[in-house]
Amino acid sequence: MISSEGAVQQLIESNEQVLVLHFTASWSEPCKTVAASLGVLAQKYKGLSVHQVDTEKVSKFSETHNIDSVPTCLFYLKKELKETVAGLNVHVWLKPSTN
């Protein structure tokens, strides 16, 4: 679990593939559900890097990125923020497309 602003920034700046930052809180049951799903995906896709971030300990980062609820996931591709998904909607976003 990442618990410092500097560690979050370092992950973003050093990432060269797909990075998921899962903003979480230890007391949140929905966060545990999302963490389990993201863990399965991280094992399945080698280019996917998933990290849990303690939202309460990185309050400045959370505020500047408008993270006002947990779970919230930030999806980065090669250092660039591509998507923000708040709540359990992460499950919908992660489902394979049927199109």
Side-chain angles (χ1 to χ4, degrees), residues 7 21-22 29 31 35 38-39 44 48 51 56 58-59 62 71 75 77 79 81 86 90 93-95 97:
L21 296 178
H22 172 212
E29 288 301 317
C31 287
L38 290 172
K44 185 175 181 178
L48 179 65
H51 299 273
E56 295 170 335
V58 294
S59 57
S62 297
F75 293 82
L77 178 60
K79 304 175 190 171
L81 179 62
V90 171
W93 193 85
L94 295 174
K95 285 184 181 176
S97 175

Side-chain angles (χ1 to χ4, degrees), residues 74-84 93:
L74 302 182
F75 293 82
Y76 287 85
L77 178 60
K78 297 183 179 181
K79 304 175 190 171
E80 183 180 342
L81 179 62
K82 294 292 188 176
E83 186 78 34
T84 300
W93 193 85

Side-chain angles (χ1 to χ4, degrees), residues 1-57:
M1 173 97 52
I2 298 168
S3 58
S4 77
E5 309 270 342
V8 172
Q9 279 304 130
Q10 185 177 12
L11 270 174
I12 294 167
E13 292 169 9
S14 65
N15 182 59
E16 292 297 328
Q17 295 184 350
V18 179
L19 171 66
V20 179
L21 296 178
H22 172 212
F23 288 79
T24 185
S26 60
W27 47 263
S28 172
E29 288 301 317
C31 287
K32 294 174 186 172
T33 301
V34 170
S37 296
L38 290 172
V40 169
L41 285 175
Q43 289 178 348
K44 185 175 181 178
Y45 299 104
K46 300 213 186 281
L48 179 65
S49 179
V50 177
H51 299 273
Q52 290 188 17
V53 181
D54 187 332
T55 306
E56 295 170 335
K57 293 188 178 173

